[in-house]
Amino acid sequence: MAEVQANHKNEKVGEVVSTKMAKTIVVQVTRRVPHPLYKRIVSKRNKFYAHDEDGTAKVGDVVRIIESRPLSKLKRWTLGEIVRRAVDTSVAGLAE
């Protein structure tokens, strides 16, 4: 009969580097690849703008982002889940 096909969208895991925009986070994804000529492992970084409706992600959090339809000129990803929270080192966090 009709087969149900799962909607496999592209996912990436990275660290939040900015939350200064409304409902938007900037996620830096780092990957380690061998250099094409010298074969030494080098780190390559890309920044992705992701939609964060509730503003739950903070700077330093490790998050999973999921590919989506274009939401603005640069935003093509949405926040899937927060994999790991950043350590709170603020003075308010130490007082509690």
Side-chain angles (χ1 to χ4, degrees):
M1 295 272 147
E3 291 183 20
V4 178
Q5 196 171 36
N7 196 2
H8 297 290
K9 296 199 175 189
N10 199 356
E11 292 184 354
K12 296 187 184 299
V13 176
E15 182 179 353
V16 178
V17 293
S18 174
T19 58
K20 294 186 178 185
M21 293 170 274
K23 298 185 180 182
T24 303
I25 57 174
V26 182
V27 179
Q28 180 171 286
V29 176
T30 305
R31 58 191 177 97
R32 295 165 49 86
V33 294
H35 188 277
L37 177 62
Y38 301 117
K39 308 304 181 206
R40 184 179 188 276
I41 301 295
V42 290
S43 295
K44 295 194 175 230
R45 301 176 303 196
N46 287 82
K47 287 184 180 177
F48 297 96
Y49 287 75
H51 185 68
D52 182 10
E53 182 67 35
D54 303 325
T56 54
K58 304 291 182 228
V59 175
D61 290 352
V62 176
V63 297
R64 182 181 322 277
I65 55 175
I66 303 167
E67 196 172 26
S68 67
R69 65 182 178 85
L71 299 168
S72 69
K73 179 181 174 183
L74 296 173
K75 239 187 334 187
R76 273 100 173 104
W77 299 83
T78 55
L79 176 65
E81 65 170 324
I82 298 173
V83 177
R84 188 176 66 233
R85 288 275 183 196
V87 178
D88 187 16
T89 58
S90 65
V91 176
L94 296 174
E96 293 176 0

